[in-house]
Amino acid sequence: MKYVIYVLSIALITAFLIIYGRAKEYYLPTELTNKLYIKCRDKILKYLSKNKSATYKELEREIEGVTAKVFWSRKVMTVLDSKKMVKGIIDSLLKQDKIQILESDGKKLVILK
């Protein structure tokens, strides 16, 4: 009887770990995307605090090739299309009222508030 309880407990623990691992793997792309977005947003805000203003092109160059990964996985997510990423981050920062956009000489300047 004692061995049956041991075998059942090991089976339950193994099943729990398998389900937990699958759930982590299922949510991995979302987690990597969020981490990459936060990393790029922080890099843009740091660049703007240093330089006071920047064009879209400067911000695109700043986040080109930024990568994000989680410690429990080997998978890595990298910024390939920096135009889309900058556009999404700028829209989000505008909604949060952290930046403003000014137009000068036909160029859009992003300024930190």
Side-chain angles (χ1 to χ4, degrees), residues 8-22:
L8 286 176
S9 65
I10 289 173
L12 286 173
I13 291 169
T14 304
F16 172 75
L17 290 175
I18 288 172
I19 291 169
Y20 181 73
R22 297 247 173 144

Side-chain angles (χ1 to χ4, degrees), residues 17-45:
L17 290 175
I18 288 172
I19 291 169
Y20 181 73
R22 297 247 173 144
K24 291 288 263 182
E25 193 68 29
Y26 179 76
Y27 291 111
L28 179 64
T30 305
E31 198 167 331
L32 284 174
T33 303
N34 289 339
K35 200 162 191 157
L36 184 65
Y37 172 80
I38 290 169
K39 203 171 183 180
C40 289
R41 184 195 66 204
D42 291 345
K43 200 162 187 164
I44 286 174
L45 288 174

Side-chain angles (χ1 to χ4, degrees), residues 73-94:
S73 177
R74 292 182 184 165
K75 294 184 180 174
V76 177
M77 188 172 274
T78 306
V79 173
L80 296 177
D81 189 4
S82 58
K83 276 187 177 185
K84 275 187 183 178
M85 190 67 141
V86 166
K87 178 92 169 105
I89 292 172
I90 294 299
D91 289 344
S92 172
L93 290 173
L94 278 171

Side-chain angles (χ1 to χ4, degrees), residues 44-56:
I44 286 174
L45 288 174
K46 185 177 178 183
Y47 184 82
L48 286 174
S49 68
K50 232 185 234 183
N51 298 326
K52 305 297 180 207
S53 68
T55 63
Y56 275 60

